[in-house]
Amino acid sequence: MLTSEETRDIFIIGLRNAHAMENQALSVIDTQLSRLESYPEMITLLQQHRRETEGQIARLDQIFEGLGESASTFKDTAMSAMGSLQAMGHALAGDEILKNHMADYMFEHFEIAAYTSLITMAQSMGHTAALPLLQQNLDEERRFQQMLIDGLPGVTEKFLQRLETGQKADV
Ligand code: MG
Ligand code: FE
């Protein structure tokens, strides 16, 4: 049987992981934005989710504050570096826009799973103050994930059309 202190520690580890995940998201988005040229609709979508992500980090910070904890910066830094490496890896392919889009969709799945698990923990541990904050983060991830998959056919068609007409298509 776990003590309440032990379960609280598990919740805090989950929150720290989510904090690092969101910082990774920021660095992935920034790397993609620094390269995008031909897809203004993707630039707008990513800028919008970047702002949402900053709000998500602020909500996680608010939860830490309520628990008398702080987010550790060590894992955040490591995950940020991994995020930009991952986004740069796609630059070697001719279909960077599509690879990034699919990777972003996959990343949103991970975020949805992370918040679903954290909400369950918060519920079973009675951290009711954290619930609306985590729920808002989850809702934003779901919405963005849906926008990504809804937008993928159009981006793919535009990619093909630009290739066929000899225009820059990769980013
Ligand atoms: Mg997020
Ligand atoms: Fe997200």
Side-chain angles (χ1 to χ4, degrees):
M1 194 54 197
L2 293 170
T3 65
S4 66
E5 201 162 308
E6 283 166 333
T7 53
R8 183 181 180 279
D9 286 349
I10 287 165
F11 185 51
I12 287 164
I13 289 167
L15 290 168
R16 290 219 172 99
N17 288 338
H19 201 272
M21 169 186 81
E22 295 301 354
N23 273 289
Q24 183 181 8
L26 283 183
S27 84
V28 167
I29 290 171
D30 285 343
T31 305
Q32 292 180 3
L33 281 174
S34 74
R35 295 183 48 80
L36 272 170
E37 292 174 31
S38 317
Y39 299 85
E41 62 283 11
M42 275 313 295
I43 293 176
T44 304
L45 198 62
L46 287 173
Q47 283 172 339
Q48 191 183 313
H49 196 56
R50 195 192 191 287
R51 282 192 293 275
E52 279 180 341
T53 302
E54 285 174 337
Q56 292 168 1
I57 291 171
R59 275 175 224 118
L60 291 170
D61 286 337
Q62 201 181 321
I63 297 171
F64 281 121
E65 218 170 286
L67 292 166
E69 293 280 332
S70 63
S72 81
T73 50
F74 175 73
K75 192 169 187 195
D76 283 14
T77 311
M79 295 290 278
S80 295
M82 262 179 56
S84 54
L85 271 180
Q86 181 221 295
M88 287 308 292
H90 298 155
L92 299 169
D95 60 347
E96 181 174 350
I97 182 76
L98 300 183
K99 282 214 167 58
N100 283 340
H101 202 113
M102 292 174 211
D104 291 348
Y105 185 62
M106 187 171 71
F107 196 93
E108 292 307 314
H109 273 82
F110 189 87
E111 294 187 287
I112 288 166
Y115 287 119
T116 300
S117 179
L118 281 172
I119 286 169
T120 307
M121 279 192 198
Q123 272 166 344
S124 76
M125 293 163 62
H127 287 300
T128 49
L131 285 171
L133 300 165
L134 294 171
Q135 187 64 48
Q136 190 174 344
N137 286 11
L138 175 61
D139 292 345
E140 288 175 357
E141 310 300 17
R142 280 196 194 284
R143 212 177 314 126
F144 183 53
Q145 181 196 44
Q146 194 60 49
M147 289 170 94
L148 284 172
I149 198 68
D150 289 346
L152 185 54
V155 171
T156 305
E157 276 162 15
K158 184 171 173 181
F159 170 76
L160 291 175
Q161 182 243 321
R162 291 184 70 88
L163 266 189
E164 281 163 9
T165 54
Q167 299 175 82
K168 183 168 179 57
D170 60 338
V171 282

